[in-house]
């Protein structure tokens, strides 16, 4: 049942895509509409505390929709709308992807998957509710927007337990739906272009997220973090507009759904959503004006579309901000960090310091260093950010040269100019986070990861414009050759520098050996623990990853926020949202154990120095641990005093 539920969820999404297609949405855009609307529906009801009800309502609707479609296409013999290459791709590639993941069964291995995204996704499945108010026994300020976690919950709605590869499957289905949107311009006679578009879409996350000097490994098809999906949704929203058809709601619906989903993917996605809405408005202004419509009406209609898209971006953002404030007491408009500045305040601080005669050393370091890294740092397989930008704009220029339609040429020129201008405020936003949010020692840390969502969406939209031009080019052969050449160049580039072990198909199973050991240890431990109790974890040689991994593995058992690396510390959340780090002695630790109600202490790793500091609290002075007789101590309280007694459990 655990594996069958993924196939059931996939079938439900396909039915929903067919339903959208029957209601007039272009077949290749229907999977994107289905995945986005499903995730948004779960997020909306989740904010209202009705997440489990959302699951039953979703699957019931898909069941009724399947019956309605069979009635119309079978009993009534209504002609089947053209599904398009995109829908066929989504079905075929989706089934293949589910098969690969079900056989390989990858697990979470990175830091953020355990500290936020993986923990949040697991909490939703275990509690049938949003993770914002979940009790996990340690400091939990979950502010990550819920769209990706809601997709993971949708896929795992039936059955018990949380399975990590199935969460990957949910994210990957979203990526495949966006790739399917790239097929929207293709007609039956354009089938030779389907292969290069599929290759380009599949390779895009590798090209922009795996780079050398040194090669940084975070396999994008085995990644539950938000950056790649955010870039895909950015490009998907633009593709939905460029390849859309019809008028009014039918034309805007796929764009609106993609933008709303984008906004609920990550905090910085708000900026991408605003840029996408502006680019659609520009395209609406410069594209072909309908015959008989005067200029004033054309401008008014374009601005009206812009207003609708702004509402689709701002509405979900404000809804989530209201939920965070009510449910978790978190102000989403404050970014926290070293200055604890709000979004608007951050820009005010920047311009105030920019025109001030006295600038901090950190301000100058970041302000000068970010452009330098954009120009010189090899952050993609295409080279530096500047080279990636040049390649993308070259594709747009090629699309403008190939087309024989004046409106398409204006569209390409408008997109090229204003997408480049839109990159500037996004780049500034990322720069400001390094000045006012990150600590000085974190300057430029992972800066590539915060920029490549824009590159990904920008690139996908440019490829779609090239496909539109190639389809009706005055140089038909040259246009098709350009797409084939691009796909082959990307394939060759990945083949030469990307080890197969970093793909979803050929990764080394030993990559997850340590994770499996963690899971086995925790499973054996929980057989001896009280589900209502709380465990204190000690791992003295850890930088934090082990501790977070144990916290994640223990869920739904309660784990106290304990030893995460460095000197022994108790970390508490303050009223201003910051974390107070306090080194503790044996007396302070005893008081903490009493106050938090810890019932057991699990020692993953401790040394003699630790024993010398805290042995007074242990009945045996920790000898049972060092003699390899136990890793678990029970917290026994007598007359207000704590005594840690060996539980005689060795893993």
């Amino acid at each position: 049942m655990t594996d069958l539920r993924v196939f059931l969820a996939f079938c439900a999404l396909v039915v929903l895509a067919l339903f959208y297609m029957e209601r007039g949405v272009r077949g290749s855009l229907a999977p994107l509409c289905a995945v986005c609307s499903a995730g948004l529906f779960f997020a909306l009801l989740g904010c209202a505390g009705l997440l489990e009800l959302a699951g039953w309502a979703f699957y019931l609707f898909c069941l009724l929709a399947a019956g309605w479609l069979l009635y119309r296409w079978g009993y009534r013999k209504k002609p089947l709308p053209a599904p398009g290459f995109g829908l066929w791709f989504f079905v075929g590639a989706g089934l293949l992807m589910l098969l690969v993941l079900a056989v390989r069964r990858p697990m979470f291995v990175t830091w953020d998957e355990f500290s936020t995204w993986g923990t949040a996704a697991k909490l939703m499945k275990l509690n049938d509710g949003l993770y914002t108010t979940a009790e996990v026994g340690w400091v939990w300020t979950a502010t990550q927007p819920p769209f990706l976690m809601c997709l993971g919950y949708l896929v795992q709605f039936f059955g018990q337990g949380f399975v990590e590869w199935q969460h990957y499957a949910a994210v990957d289905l979203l990526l495949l739906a966006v790739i399917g949107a790239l097929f929207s311009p293709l007609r039956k006679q354009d089938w030779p272009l389907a292969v290069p578009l599929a290759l380009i879409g599949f390779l895009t996350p590798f090209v922009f997220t795996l780079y050398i000097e040194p090669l940084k490994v975070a396999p994008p098809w085995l990644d539950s973090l938000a950056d790649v999906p955010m870039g895909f949704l950015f490009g998907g929203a633009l593709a939905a507009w460029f390849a859309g058809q019809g008028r009014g709601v039918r034309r805007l619906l796929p764009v609106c759904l993609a933008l709303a989903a984008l906004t609920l993917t990550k905090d910085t996605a708000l900026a991408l959503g605003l840029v996408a809405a502006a680019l659609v408005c520009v395209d609406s202004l410069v594209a072909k004006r309908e015959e008989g419509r005067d200029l004033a009406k054309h401008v008014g209609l374009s601005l009206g579309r812009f207003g609708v898209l702004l509402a689709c971006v701002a509405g979900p953002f404000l809804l989530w901000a209201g939920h965070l404030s009510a449910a978790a007491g978190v102000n989403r408009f404050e970014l926290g960090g070293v200055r604890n500045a709000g979004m608007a305040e951050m820009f005010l601080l920047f311009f105030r310091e920019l025109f001030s005669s006295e600038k901090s050393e950190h301000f100058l370091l970041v302000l000068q260093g970010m452009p330098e890294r954009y120009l010189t740092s090899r952050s993609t397989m295409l080279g530096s950010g500047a080279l990636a930008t040049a390649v993308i704009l070259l594709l747009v220029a090629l699309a403008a040269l190939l087309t024989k339609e004046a409106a398409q040429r204006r569209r390409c020129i408008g997109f090229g100019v204003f997408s480049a201008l839109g990159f500037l405020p996004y780049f500034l936003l990322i720069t400001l986070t390094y000045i006012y949010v990150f600590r000085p020692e974190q300057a430029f840390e992972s800066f590539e990861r915060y920029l490549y969502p824009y590159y990904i969406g920008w690139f996908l939209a440019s490829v779609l414009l090239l496909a539109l031009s190639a389809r009706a080019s005055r140089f038909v052969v040259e246009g098709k050759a350009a797409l084939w050449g691009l796909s082959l160049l990307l394939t060759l580039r990945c083949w030469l520098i990307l080890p197969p072990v970093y793909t979803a198909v050929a990764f080394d199973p030993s990559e997850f050996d340590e994770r499996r050991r963690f899971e086995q240890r925790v499973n054996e431990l929980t057989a001896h623990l009280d589900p209502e109790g709380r465990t204190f974890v000690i791992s003295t040689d850890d930088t934090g990853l082990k501790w977070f991994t144990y916290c994640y593995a223990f869920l739904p058992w309660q784990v106290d926020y304990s030893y995460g690396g460095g000197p022994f510390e108790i970390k508490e959340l303050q009223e201003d949202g910051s974390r107070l780090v306090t080194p503790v002695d044996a007396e302070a630790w005893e008081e903490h154990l009493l106050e938090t109600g810890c019932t057991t202490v699990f020692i993953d790793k401790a040394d003699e120095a630790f024993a010398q500091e805290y042995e007074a609290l242990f009945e045996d002075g920790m000898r049972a641990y060092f003699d390899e007789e136990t890793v678990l101590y029970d917290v026994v309280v007598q007359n207000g005093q704590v005594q840690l007694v060996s539980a005689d459990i060795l893993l």
Side-chain angles (χ1 to χ4, degrees), residues 257-280:
L257 290 174
L259 286 181
L262 170 63
T263 306
L264 290 181
T265 302
K266 191 176 180 180
D267 287 338
T268 52
L270 175 66
L272 288 181
L274 295 176
V275 171
L279 290 175
V280 169

Side-chain angles (χ1 to χ4, degrees), residues 82-305:
F85 290 103
L87 182 55
W88 288 117
F89 170 82
F90 179 75
V91 173
L95 287 173
L96 180 61
M97 178 270 297
L98 292 179
L99 177 62
V100 170
L101 292 179
V103 172
R104 302 309 312 276
R105 308 183 81 83
M107 304 174 74
F108 295 160
V109 291
T110 62
W111 174 279
D112 283 339
E113 283 171 331
F114 293 115
S115 61
T116 304
W117 294 276
T119 304
K122 187 175 182 180
L123 282 171
M124 285 180 63
K125 175 56 187 170
L126 297 180
N127 298 324
D128 288 317
L130 282 185
Y131 47 87
T132 45
T133 57
E135 172 59 40
V136 295
W138 50 284
V139 176
W140 176 245
T141 311
T143 60
Q144 183 73 10
F147 179 74
L148 294 179
M149 274 70 78
C150 285
L151 284 182
Y153 181 80
L154 180 161
V155 166
Q156 303 192 56
F157 178 70
F158 295 106
Q160 300 297 317
F162 178 77
V163 182
E164 293 166 21
W165 73 261
Q166 295 176 5
H167 188 73
Y168 285 143
V171 177
D172 292 349
L173 286 175
L174 171 64
L175 304 187
L176 293 177
V178 174
I179 295 175
L182 298 179
F183 294 87
S184 298
L186 304 186
R187 301 158 301 189
K188 287 184 179 180
Q189 61 268 33
D190 299 320
W191 64 266
L193 293 178
V195 175
L197 285 175
L199 273 174
I200 292 169
F202 177 76
L203 294 176
T204 292
F206 292 107
V207 170
F208 288 98
T209 68
L210 300 183
Y211 39 92
I212 56 178
E213 292 185 350
L215 179 66
K216 297 186 178 180
V217 181
W221 292 89
L222 295 178
D223 193 343
S224 72
L225 308 187
D227 301 284
V228 171
M230 182 168 68
F232 264 69
L233 281 170
F234 177 46
L238 294 172
W241 170 255
F242 292 147
Q245 61 183 4
R247 300 183 187 177
V249 174
R250 184 182 301 178
R251 179 74 188 277
L252 278 182
L253 180 62
V255 188
C256 291
L257 290 174
L259 286 181
L262 170 63
T263 306
L264 290 181
T265 302
K266 191 176 180 180
D267 287 338
T268 52
L270 175 66
L272 288 181
L274 295 176
V275 171
L279 290 175
V280 169
C281 179
V282 169
D283 184 76
S284 180
L285 286 170
V286 303
K288 184 177 180 180
R289 192 169 68 196
E290 290 190 20
E291 187 175 348
R293 178 180 293 163
D294 60 31
L295 180 60
K297 190 172 182 179
H298 177 68
V299 172
L301 179 62
S302 300
L303 294 178
R305 286 170 175 162

Side-chain angles (χ1 to χ4, degrees), residues 24-95:
V25 174
R26 201 164 190 166
S28 292
L29 296 176
L32 179 61
C33 290
V35 175
C36 289
S37 60
L40 290 169
F41 176 72
F42 276 78
L44 178 63
L45 267 67
C47 288
L50 303 172
L51 188 64
E52 188 174 11
L53 176 62
W56 290 112
F58 171 77
Y59 282 99
L60 177 60
F61 177 83
C62 290
L63 182 63
L64 294 175
W68 180 74
L69 292 172
L70 288 174
Y71 170 75
R72 287 175 66 84
W73 296 341
Y75 181 77
R76 295 291 300 275
K77 307 296 183 182
K78 186 180 183 298
L80 178 71
F85 290 103
L87 182 55
W88 288 117
F89 170 82
F90 179 75
V91 173
L95 287 173

Side-chain angles (χ1 to χ4, degrees), residues 571-641:
K571 302 184 175 97
E572 299 175 348
L573 191 66
Q574 304 302 295
E575 292 183 359
D576 63 359
S578 61
R579 286 178 179 175
L580 177 65
V581 179
T582 309
V584 295
D585 54 21
E587 183 179 348
W589 186 29
E590 178 183 19
E591 183 180 347
H592 179 79
L593 293 174
L594 288 170
E595 289 179 352
T596 56
C598 288
T599 55
T600 51
V601 172
F602 165 54
I603 305 177
D604 170 61
K605 184 72 174 180
D607 53 21
E608 292 288 352
F610 178 88
Q612 292 175 9
E613 183 69 28
Y614 304 106
E615 63 182 354
L617 295 178
F618 290 84
E619 183 184 47
D620 62 351
M622 290 185 65
R623 297 326 310 166
Y625 168 76
F626 288 113
D627 293 340
E628 298 185 351
E629 297 173 1
T630 191
V631 292
L632 194 70
Y633 285 81
D634 292 322
V635 179
V636 178
V637 181
Q638 294 181 345
N639 301 322
Q641 302 294 314

